[in-house]
Amino acid sequence: MDGRRVRTGIVAAGALLAGCAQEPAAEGRTERQTADAYVRALNDRDAAALAELGPPGYEDVEADARKLVAEEGGRGLRVETVEVSHEFGDDVASTRVAGTARDGRPFSTYVQMAREGGDWVVALGHAPGAPKGGAGPASTARP
């Protein structure tokens, strides 16, 4: 083998290894970052910040955020653990957030999330056009 072929082979191998060593850049907000932002919004009683974590284009996100802040906000929550489960696919997460409140009481909640365009969003509101209140009860009468 002549020197030129060896150099070409080394350059090609180096380029290949450099390409393999580079991992794709993480896109958007992670599940942990979303959980932390969720708790921050509750602690700050900031319904607008909580609504920003909802799916873009969904209806009633702001109303759901206001309701959550009214019920759970201002407790001084301190996150100790965040456990993420992907039981229903890579783009859906059930995230258990646990820690303590300002008064020393333990807290634990599940935050349902989905990946939307690279960001993890909190399940707030509903898709446009979806029926409000969910489906009615199933009938048990014979046809």
Side-chain angles (χ1 to χ4, degrees):
M1 202 180 248
D2 69 8
R4 195 165 115 205
R5 280 190 183 171
V6 171
R7 282 191 302 273
T8 303
I10 290 172
V11 170
L16 181 62
L17 288 174
C20 290
Q22 294 176 348
E23 293 183 21
E27 288 186 41
R29 191 177 52 234
T30 67
E31 300 98 316
R32 174 63 194 234
Q33 290 167 332
T34 303
D36 288 340
Y38 176 89
V39 170
R40 229 180 359 266
L42 287 178
N43 283 341
D44 294 345
R45 301 188 61 80
D46 189 346
L50 186 56
E52 286 294 317
L53 299 174
Y58 271 44
E59 297 174 354
D60 295 328
V61 170
E62 293 84 6
D64 284 356
R66 283 191 303 273
K67 182 178 176 185
L68 267 169
V69 165
E71 293 172 356
E72 300 292 331
R75 294 175 41 204
L77 304 174
R78 186 171 46 101
V79 175
E80 293 170 3
T81 62
V82 175
E83 299 168 356
V84 179
S85 172
H86 292 277
E87 293 179 28
F88 299 104
D90 293 340
D91 293 329
V92 179
S94 179
T95 307
R96 181 178 173 271
V97 180
T100 55
R102 180 183 310 111
D103 62 7
R105 291 184 188 173
F107 86 93
S108 179
T109 189
Y110 282 89
V111 182
Q112 303 306 313
M113 299 181 193
R115 189 181 349 237
E116 291 279 335
D119 277 330
W120 284 91
V121 298
V122 176
L124 296 170
H126 57 87
K132 292 185 181 181
S139 173
T140 58
R142 293 187 181 263

